[in-house]
Amino acid sequence: MDAITVPARPGPFTLPPARTALIVIDMQRDFLEPGGFGEALGNDVSTLRPAIAPVARLLALFRARGWPVIHTRESHRPDLSDCPPAKLSRGAPGLRIGERGPMGRILVRGEAGNAILPECAPVAGEIEIAKPGKGAFHRTDLQAMLEARGISHLVFAGVTTEVCVQTSMREANDRGYECLLIEEATESYFPAFKAATLEMIPAQGGIVGWTAKLADLEAALA
């Protein structure tokens, strides 16, 4: 299939279907539902929920074409050996990483709260990355997986816009990947932070990457 051009900022984004993958960042219960780490940090988790339906639509687009899909979950080993003290100190006392909350131990692999929301859950054949940091490349095998598949272009979605999503995009940009963030398929606990990130990413001629509307991507792929 020929390259596909999507209306975007700061200009059209051209993606080669054979070398493009979708990365969905941290659509997990610990961040999007009451009782998880997001709420323990004092956030209103309902502000993230508008991203769920657009992420599901984006997943459907890629699945219908058989294009690679990667899901990340911020998570830690049960012994917390991969969680530095500076991170362990975040959150309300009694509801910090590794402590027991309403959905099990917070941000710990295998616990109920660490699961991805059913609406956005992986299906057979999709890649899952457990990441101990904000960025999807930090202490993971993501780059090796992308290189093995010949991926050069990444479409991003997930939460939160200004933390794990933007961090992962910046990591990808430093590694030479061309990156596109779908605007409706990402959210923040702070609307102003999302808005600022959507301005930072395409600034200076796309210094981090591009942003596009979901409807424009859908139309380009139709």
Side-chain angles (χ1 to χ4, degrees):
M1 183 184 294
D2 293 336
I4 296 167
T5 300
V6 183
R9 294 188 305 150
F13 182 81
T14 300
L15 61 87
R19 294 188 286 121
T20 299
L22 170 64
I23 299 189
V24 180
I25 303 288
D26 298 357
M27 292 295 289
Q28 59 205 73
R29 298 180 67 197
D30 269 321
F31 293 136
L32 286 110
E33 292 185 358
F37 190 53
E39 188 173 72
L41 292 172
N43 299 305
D44 175 6
V45 296
S46 69
T47 60
L48 302 188
R49 299 199 68 82
I52 297 172
V55 169
R57 282 167 57 189
L58 193 52
L59 285 166
L61 277 182
F62 273 70
R63 288 167 178 167
R65 290 158 180 79
W67 295 354
V69 174
I70 300 160
H71 303 260
T72 74
R73 284 179 293 110
E74 186 175 345
S75 61
H76 296 281
R77 300 177 184 134
D79 65 3
L80 303 182
S81 60
D82 58 354
C83 188
K87 189 174 182 182
L88 280 172
S89 67
R90 301 300 188 268
L95 284 176
R96 290 177 175 153
I97 295 171
E99 296 179 329
R100 190 159 296 280
M103 296 185 289
R105 295 181 66 204
I106 293 171
L107 282 193
V108 170
R109 293 171 197 167
E111 299 288 336
N114 203 232
I116 295 174
L117 295 179
E119 300 95 323
C120 307
V123 299
E126 294 179 349
I127 298 168
E128 296 184 61
I129 298 284
K131 61 181 185 67
K134 307 297 190 293
F137 291 85
H138 174 64
R139 297 180 68 180
T140 75
D141 295 327
L142 177 57
Q143 185 162 356
M145 292 177 177
L146 295 175
E147 289 175 350
R149 290 162 176 79
I151 299 300
S152 59
H153 290 58
L154 298 171
V155 177
F156 279 88
V159 299
T160 61
T161 314
E162 78 283 2
V163 183
C164 294
V165 175
Q166 182 176 203
T167 299
S168 298
M169 286 189 73
R170 289 179 180 273
E171 287 182 326
N173 176 265
D174 282 347
R175 288 162 173 80
Y177 295 96
E178 300 286 16
C179 302
L180 173 69
L181 176 61
I182 302 304
E183 296 178 9
E184 300 90 341
T186 183
E187 287 295 342
S188 170
Y189 298 121
F190 308 95
F193 291 0
K194 173 183 174 178
T197 304
L198 293 182
E199 293 304 313
M200 284 188 283
I201 286 170
Q204 302 176 75
I207 195 164
V208 176
W210 286 256
T211 71
K213 300 289 187 183
L214 177 57
D216 287 334
L217 177 62
E218 290 174 324
L221 297 182

